[in-house]
Amino acid sequence: MLKTIRIALWIAVAVSLVVVGVLFWRADRQEQAVAFRPEFSLPDEAGTIRTSEEFRGKHVLVFFGFTNCPDICPTTMSEVAQVMDDLGPEAEDVQPVFISVDPVRDRESGLDEYLAAFHPAILGLAGDEAQTRAAVESFKVFADPEKAASAPGGYTMSHSSSLYLIGPQGDWLRQFEYGTSADDITADLKERL
Amino acid sequence: MMKPLIAGLGLATLLPALALADCAKVSQGDLSVSAAWSRATIGTARPAVFYVTIQNTGSTDDRLTGIETPVAGMPMLHETVMTEGVASMPHAAAIDIPAGETISLAPGGFHGMLMDLEAELKEGESFPMTLQFEKAGKVSIDTEILPIRAREAACGVAP
Ligand SMILES: [Cu+2]
């Protein structure tokens, strides 16, 4: 009889240890999930400040680029446009955002008209140097002007070329490296929506 | 019911074939140049792009050393280079076209960068491009202007 009670107690201890372990593990995971919430606060072409908080509840696809880039940037915007078309009605829950890393030049040449040529849903943001730097740093990406005689105006930008996916709570979900096909991005989003 | 379906299927297989047939190809010596395309631009402020496929059927290597076109005052060969996810696009002095190989100037790699545009590139129109090769000399090809959203040549990558 006593032996049975002892065994039962030991089982209770083991079970509670496992429960506590699982609770710790889950808390840790949740903490990790909320640990990275990249943010931006930048003006659109009309001059209105748009922030990452504004898009809570939506999945946000963020790209850093510049419109004087004729290769990588239009290619990626084309994929994004294709994704928005292929999502159908679910596209309402996805906001593509283009953050200019060459804001002065992009504002001059007209960011909205350029992006609308790919897809009207793409939001273009071009801030001042401090706002741009803050967004770049918050996303932990890279963007720097490079002197180049082989580029218009004597400089070009080297910049991170991935698409970043931010979840409805503002948490960083994943990146799509340059060259990820529209089909793959659409399939990934459809699973989440 | 079946007839329109069959007609539709016929069209579906015929259309890409027609588009492929549309793809201009220019041969000179051992080189054959095809699938030249560009993206439409908005105005002339931003540089345009030039993509093309070059096949070397011979047994000697050649090199593409430059491009020239009336639509741009400063055309140049560039290469998009990806280093740990960061893209930059340095000038490419020349692009090797090894014997027996097909080299493409394509999104994410080599491209012609057309700066100082003389005129807006309008979708559906075309412009001439002259490629300068070290051995084969000059080869001119008509370049199709595709929509700004285009992701590849209308005729696909030439074989
Ligand atoms: Cu370039």
Side-chain angles (χ1 to χ4, degrees):
Chain A
M1 182 60 193
L2 220 92
K3 199 181 168 192
T4 321
I5 290 172
R6 202 180 293 149
I7 288 169
L9 281 174
W10 275 118
I11 288 171
V13 167
V15 167
S16 59
L17 274 177
V18 168
V19 168
V20 168
V22 166
L23 283 176
F24 266 110
W25 178 73
R26 281 183 49 179
D28 191 46
R29 263 176 59 110
Q30 254 164 17
E31 216 168 53
Q32 273 179 2
V34 297
F36 189 29
R37 282 193 167 182
E39 283 169 357
F40 59 81
S41 176
L42 295 156
D44 59 19
E45 195 163 85
T48 311
I49 295 285
R50 314 295 292 266
T51 66
S52 31
E53 282 87 53
E54 184 185 330
F55 302 106
R56 293 290 187 262
K58 284 192 175 194
H59 282 76
V60 185
L61 266 179
V62 179
F63 183 73
F64 289 84
F66 67 116
T67 69
N68 261 33
C69 143
D71 184 39
I72 293 278
C73 306
T75 304
T76 304
M77 285 307 105
S78 303
E79 299 291 343
V80 169
Q82 195 59 49
V83 167
M84 294 307 284
D85 282 352
D86 293 345
L87 281 173
E90 283 176 305
E92 266 181 44
D93 300 320
V94 177
Q95 176 63 55
V97 177
F98 178 100
I99 296 178
S100 172
V101 294
D102 187 12
V104 175
R105 194 154 64 176
D106 279 348
R107 258 198 311 271
E108 271 170 19
S109 47
L111 192 52
D112 279 1
E113 190 191 11
Y114 175 80
L115 293 173
F118 293 92
H119 201 285
I122 305 172
L123 173 65
L125 303 177
D128 60 24
E129 194 163 328
Q131 292 164 325
T132 307
R133 191 56 34 210
V136 163
E137 276 167 14
S138 178
F139 275 78
K140 300 192 165 113
V141 294
F142 179 87
D144 246 353
E146 258 175 44
K147 268 201 191 126
S150 60
Y155 74 97
T156 182
M157 301 296 302
S158 53
H159 61 99
S160 296
S161 56
S162 296
L163 276 166
Y164 304 96
L165 181 63
I166 306 304
Q169 271 87 49
D171 40 316
W172 189 93
L173 296 180
R174 63 165 295 177
Q175 64 173 336
F176 298 101
E177 275 174 28
Y178 171 77
T180 308
S181 74
D183 286 352
D184 288 349
I185 298 171
T186 305
D188 181 278
L189 284 171
K190 283 210 162 177
E191 259 176 44
R192 299 173 191 272
L193 295 169
Chain B
M1 177 62 204
M2 277 313 278
K3 264 187 189 164
L5 190 70
I6 290 166
L9 276 175
L11 261 181
T13 48
L14 190 66
L15 281 177
L18 281 175
L20 271 169
D22 231 355
C23 210
K25 187 170 185 166
V26 180
S27 294
Q28 183 166 311
D30 291 336
L31 296 187
S32 124
V33 178
S34 63
W37 66 285
S38 180
R39 293 192 184 97
T41 66
I42 301 167
T44 56
R46 303 181 187 88
V49 79
F50 170 73
Y51 298 121
V52 72
T53 298
I54 303 153
Q55 188 181 15
N56 184 347
T57 54
S59 51
T60 42
D61 298 345
D62 207 335
R63 298 169 87 203
L64 174 63
T65 54
I67 49 173
E68 221 172 290
T69 175
V71 301
M74 191 180 166
M76 197 176 270
L77 296 172
H78 275 189
E79 181 180 15
T80 294
V81 178
M82 212 69 84
T83 317
E84 287 171 36
V86 175
S88 58
M89 47 170 198
H91 168 60
I95 299 170
D96 288 329
I97 316 290
E101 285 189 34
T102 300
I103 300 296
S104 284
L105 277 64
F110 291 114
H111 58 272
M113 177 109 160
L114 312 181
M115 294 169 277
D116 296 340
L117 283 185
E118 301 287 344
E120 181 175 83
L121 300 189
K122 292 202 176 80
E123 180 181 336
E125 295 184 356
S126 67
F127 61 86
M129 176 63 78
T130 303
L131 295 88
Q132 177 73 54
F133 293 98
E134 212 170 62
K135 299 206 176 85
K138 286 184 175 177
V139 179
S140 290
I141 188 163
D142 205 37
T143 306
E144 268 188 84
I145 304 171
L146 302 185
I148 197 167
R149 270 183 66 169
R151 295 183 289 170
E152 57 188 6
C155 48
V157 177

